[in-house]
Amino acid sequence: MISTVASSTKFSAGEVIFAVLLGVVIIGGLALTIVRTRRSMKPREQQMAVLAAELDGRRQVYFRKMEIGLAQEDLLRVAHSRGYSLIDHRVGKYYEFVYTPHQPGRLA
């Protein structure tokens, strides 16, 4: 199909493939941004429940800041209740929860 489109226009097959792939990347990025923004707009209690469910004893859990719209106090409260410490990666824009049952609730 792409070769048919490319042959009926003045564009080469490589240019058409590049344009299609670029469109897919743009649409995918936009969809991902919309999904993450909608997750962060859920009610506070629902976000805390989702976070608590993810903190299920694994050694490390990661959350993008864009996905969570909770205050840092709420994050620490949930982390402490599950035996985790919180690491705020400001450059990478994500939170890392590390399982530390001996010292839960620390902010690193």
Side-chain angles (χ1 to χ4, degrees):
M1 180 176 149
I2 292 176
S3 61
T4 306
V5 172
S7 66
S8 65
T9 63
K10 58 184 176 183
F11 301 112
S12 70
E15 291 172 334
V16 172
I17 291 173
F18 175 76
V20 168
L21 289 177
L22 184 63
V24 167
V25 168
I26 290 172
I27 298 280
L30 183 62
L32 190 60
T33 300
I34 290 170
V35 166
R36 287 181 173 174
T37 303
R38 291 194 65 205
R39 285 182 188 167
S40 71
M41 298 174 94
K42 290 182 180 177
R44 178 178 168 260
E45 294 78 20
Q46 188 176 6
Q47 288 186 43
M48 289 177 77
V50 168
L51 178 60
E54 288 292 320
L55 301 178
D56 57 1
R58 290 180 279 172
R59 182 166 157 68
Q60 293 176 319
V61 179
Y62 301 96
F63 272 97
R64 304 290 303 161
K65 287 185 178 182
M66 185 181 229
E67 293 180 10
I68 296 181
L70 295 173
Q72 201 166 37
E73 295 81 25
D74 293 333
L75 294 171
L76 283 171
R77 185 176 301 122
V78 174
H80 178 72
S81 70
R82 298 293 183 168
Y84 283 82
S85 294
L86 173 66
I87 301 172
D88 182 5
H89 295 275
R90 293 187 178 140
V91 175
K93 296 184 180 178
Y94 67 95
Y95 294 111
E96 178 181 1
F97 295 88
V98 180
Y99 189 61
T100 54
H102 52 283
Q103 294 178 326
R106 288 187 19 221
L107 175 64

